[in-house]
Amino acid sequence: MAGFVLMVLYFSLTMIIPFLRFQFKTGGFVKIIEDYIPDFKLSEGTLWVEKPVEYEQGGMYIYINTSPDTSFYDADEIGDYISDYYQVILMDSQKIIVKNKGEITGRYFSDFDFTFSREELQQWVPRAYLIVIAFMILAFIFMTGLFFFGVLVVALIGMIAASCLKYRLTFGQLYQMSVYARTLPLLLKAVVSFLPFSIPMFGIINFGISVLFLVLAIQKMKESDLEKPIEIVSEQSDYFR
C-alpha cells in the first residue's frame, strides 16, 4: 500500500501537475488552435492556408505558403537550401517536404485520400483529451510496475547484504524495507525532472542511494539487537510449586 501511495504522489508531481500547468498557461488545445493555427483546408489533393506561416528557432524551420505563386523544389532538389537546419517542414499548395535527422522526404497531397480542415481539427479536441487520459493511465501502470520491479531488485540485493552481515530477515521484511528505501530517491527523481538540465548517470546514482539506505538499515537493526540485554526466563515446574 505504501508503494502505491508513493507512486500516486510521484506520478502527480511528474505527469499530472505539468499537464495542469500546461492547461492553465495555454488555455488548452482549443485555445492553442485558435491562437496559433490559421484557417486551413486540405481537399482533393490541394492545401489552402489562410495566411503564410513561418517559424524559426535554433535548428528548426517551418514555412507554409499556399499562394499560387509559391512552389518549393522537390525533396531531391531542395537539400542545399535547407542545409543550415536539422529539422524542417515546408508546405505549398501541392506538397509537403520534411527534413528530420538529415533525411529529406516529400509527399504530394494528392497521395493522401482524405479531407481535413481547421474545424475538423477542433472537433478532435475532446478525443485528444481522451487519448491523453488513456496515455496517462497506461503510463501510471507502466511506471508502477517498473517501480515495484526496482523494489524487488533492491530487496534481492538486501538479501545478499543481510547474509553477509549474518542477520536473519525474511524476504517479506526486506521487500517492505526496500519500498521505504526507494521513497526519498524517487521523490528526489521527481524534483530533478523539473531541472532545466540533466544529471549524468542519475538513474544509477538514484538506485544506488536506495541500496545504501537498505544496507544501512539492516546494519542498524543488527546493532540494535546486539545492544539489547539478554533476558533469562526461569520456569518452575509444577513439581516445586
Side-chain angles (χ1 to χ4, degrees):
M1 186 63 184
F4 181 78
V5 173
L6 178 62
M7 282 307 303
V8 170
L9 178 59
Y10 174 76
F11 187 78
S12 299
L13 290 173
T14 58
M15 297 289 287
I16 296 178
I17 291 179
F19 179 72
L20 293 178
R21 287 178 58 189
F22 163 80
Q23 285 291 109
F24 289 125
K25 185 176 180 179
T26 64
F29 295 144
V30 173
K31 184 67 174 176
I32 291 174
I33 293 172
E34 292 177 352
D35 292 347
Y36 298 102
I37 299 180
D39 192 15
F40 73 92
K41 185 175 183 179
L42 175 62
S43 178
E44 297 180 354
T46 302
L47 175 67
W48 171 82
V49 179
E50 178 185 18
K51 58 183 179 180
V53 176
E54 188 170 17
Y55 174 80
E56 181 179 3
Q57 183 176 5
M60 178 183 292
Y61 182 65
I62 299 174
Y63 186 49
I64 304 172
N65 193 336
T66 60
S67 61
D69 57 345
T70 300
S71 179
F72 301 117
Y73 292 99
D74 289 335
D76 56 351
E77 300 173 333
I78 203 168
D80 293 339
Y81 297 93
I82 57 176
S83 58
D84 294 337
Y85 306 98
Y86 70 89
Q87 198 165 23
V88 178
I89 297 177
L90 302 174
M91 294 187 195
D92 58 24
S93 61
Q94 301 298 320
K95 60 184 174 294
I96 175 173
I97 297 173
V98 177
K99 178 182 178 182
N100 186 35
K101 297 180 180 179
E103 183 179 354
I104 302 174
T105 57
R107 293 287 300 273
Y108 281 85
F109 294 123
S110 57
D111 297 336
F112 304 115
D113 188 20
F114 65 87
T115 300
F116 199 53
S117 66
R118 186 176 183 228
E119 293 180 358
E120 291 177 290
L121 180 61
Q122 290 173 324
Q123 293 173 2
W124 268 86
V125 170
R127 301 180 188 179
Y129 282 111
L130 290 176
I131 293 172
V132 169
I133 293 172
F135 171 78
M136 284 194 170
I137 293 173
L138 292 175
F140 179 76
I141 294 173
F142 175 77
M143 292 167 65
T144 302
L146 194 63
F147 168 76
F148 283 109
F149 176 76
V151 170
L152 177 62
V153 174
V154 173
L156 291 173
I157 296 175
M159 180 179 292
I160 297 173
S163 177
C164 293
L165 292 171
K166 296 181 180 180
Y167 187 68
R168 186 181 295 276
L169 287 169
T170 66
F171 185 76
Q173 291 173 317
L174 287 169
Y175 192 87
Q176 188 66 32
M177 291 169 63
S178 299
V179 171
Y180 293 116
R182 287 293 297 149
T183 300
L184 181 59
L186 195 67
L187 295 178
L188 182 62
K189 183 180 178 180
V191 173
V192 169
S193 67
F194 289 96
L195 297 178
F197 56 88
S198 59
I199 299 176
M201 301 180 67
F202 179 76
I204 298 176
I205 296 172
N206 185 274
F207 193 80
I209 293 174
S210 298
V211 174
L212 178 62
F213 281 171
L214 181 60
V215 173
L216 292 176
I218 295 172
Q219 187 175 12
K220 186 66 177 178
M221 291 174 66
K222 179 182 178 180
E223 292 174 355
S224 297
D225 283 352
L226 291 176
E227 291 174 358
K228 289 181 181 179
I230 300 175
E231 297 181 1
I232 301 177
V233 179
S234 59
E235 297 182 357
Q236 295 180 346
S237 64
D238 293 338
Y239 180 81
F240 293 104
R241 291 180 180 177

